[in-house]
Amino acid sequence: MRILIIEDNPDILANLYAYLEAKGHVLDSAMNGYAGLALLAQHEYDVIVLDVMLPGLTGLELCQKLRGELRNSTPVLILTARDTLQDKVAGFDSGADDYLVKPFSLLELEIRLKALLRRARGQTTATAVLAVGELRFDTEKFEVWRAGHALTLTKTGYIILKCLMSEAPKLVPREMLEHEVWGDDRPDSDALRTHIHALRQALDKPYAFPMLRTIPGIGYKLLSSDAPV
């Protein structure tokens, strides 16, 4: 991803650079709102990480200008210490797409940015058929086939499978799947494991090799052949 970070805290900025660049992402940054607008006028980005309390021009004001005057639809994730419901409402009303409260997990930040990018790309995708090996998923009709045979999944099963197929054959952290299914209201119990079990029953039980693999303590992945994890 090409990411623009607009954040005036140098320590947070340094942490974001150290983590995200190590994952292969390309970063630009600005430490005030006007500098951020200048970069947005000159370059295109996949996603924007935006602090609220910025000198000169607040993050909310910047987001409003971005959506209004500039007519820029780049996904925006607000990163702020403000955590009241009113603050979150103000953030989304300004045109932001997601909201993460400081202190935050760097892994969760990256997961959310990837999810925003997938949604943005999905809005402009003409066809929505995912394919992994002998598995096909029409995400518009919610129809899944393996080796030509139709599979019946739960609503949550469809959400999990779409995420796994979109990332295949890469590992999908359990945190990413939980965010896809429940957003910020993730359950305390291990509900994901129950849904994974149901998905595995439908996806793998009647077939010669298991496509859905568990990486203990980390997450899950889909493989297109009977290969070692």
Side-chain angles (χ1 to χ4, degrees):
M1 292 180 290
R2 185 168 187 185
I3 306 169
L4 174 62
I5 303 171
I6 308 175
E7 166 67 62
D8 68 334
N9 184 312
D11 293 331
I12 292 177
L13 201 55
N15 287 338
L16 291 173
Y17 264 86
Y19 182 84
L20 293 171
E21 284 191 330
K23 294 298 188 76
H25 305 300
V26 178
L27 275 58
D28 278 343
S29 63
M31 298 187 72
N32 65 71
Y34 289 112
L37 280 179
L39 286 172
L40 285 164
Q42 299 171 39
H43 307 287
E44 292 187 1
Y45 297 95
D46 293 315
V47 288
I48 300 166
V49 177
L50 178 62
D51 187 20
V52 171
M53 298 301 293
L54 294 169
L57 185 72
T58 71
L60 299 186
E61 291 169 339
L62 187 154
C63 199
Q64 290 168 349
K65 286 181 176 292
L66 190 69
R67 301 300 190 226
E69 296 173 20
L70 298 182
R71 298 190 179 279
N72 187 316
S73 60
T74 303
V76 173
L77 182 145
I78 284 183
L79 194 61
T80 179
R82 296 187 169 188
D83 61 353
T84 70
L85 177 59
Q86 291 82 359
D87 290 323
K88 293 180 180 180
V89 169
F92 287 115
D93 283 348
S94 73
D97 301 277
D98 202 353
Y99 197 103
L100 188 59
V101 176
K102 302 173 183 177
F104 58 94
S105 158
L106 289 165
L107 173 60
E108 182 174 3
L109 173 69
E110 186 189 21
I111 288 170
R112 289 183 180 230
L113 293 178
K114 286 181 176 179
L116 288 177
L117 182 56
R118 283 198 304 275
R119 289 176 209 153
R121 287 177 174 173
Q123 292 171 359
T124 58
T125 301
T127 179
V129 178
L130 301 174
V132 176
E134 61 187 20
L135 188 65
R136 299 289 183 275
F137 183 5
D138 186 325
T139 60
E140 291 181 347
K141 297 179 181 178
F142 281 82
E143 295 177 350
V144 178
W145 307 267
R146 179 167 178 181
H149 299 286
L151 307 182
T152 301
L153 308 179
T154 65
K155 179 182 177 181
T156 300
Y158 284 118
I159 295 171
I160 293 172
L161 183 61
K162 181 178 179 181
C163 185
L164 290 169
M165 292 185 72
S166 298
E167 298 291 329
K170 295 187 295 183
L171 169 72
V172 180
R174 60 179 298 109
E175 294 90 345
M176 183 174 182
L177 289 174
E178 289 173 342
H179 185 262
E180 288 289 324
V181 175
W182 293 290
D184 292 332
D185 298 320
R186 281 169 280 182
D188 294 330
S189 62
D190 195 5
L192 180 64
R193 183 178 298 176
T194 301
H195 291 292
I196 288 288
H197 175 75
L199 176 59
R200 182 175 276 120
Q201 291 294 105
L203 181 63
D204 287 336
K205 189 174 181 179
Y207 297 94
F209 69 89
M211 296 185 70
L212 178 54
R213 309 294 181 89
T214 300
I215 312 301
I218 303 175
Y220 305 89
K221 64 166 62 176
L222 274 182
L223 296 180
S224 59
S225 63
D226 194 11
V229 176

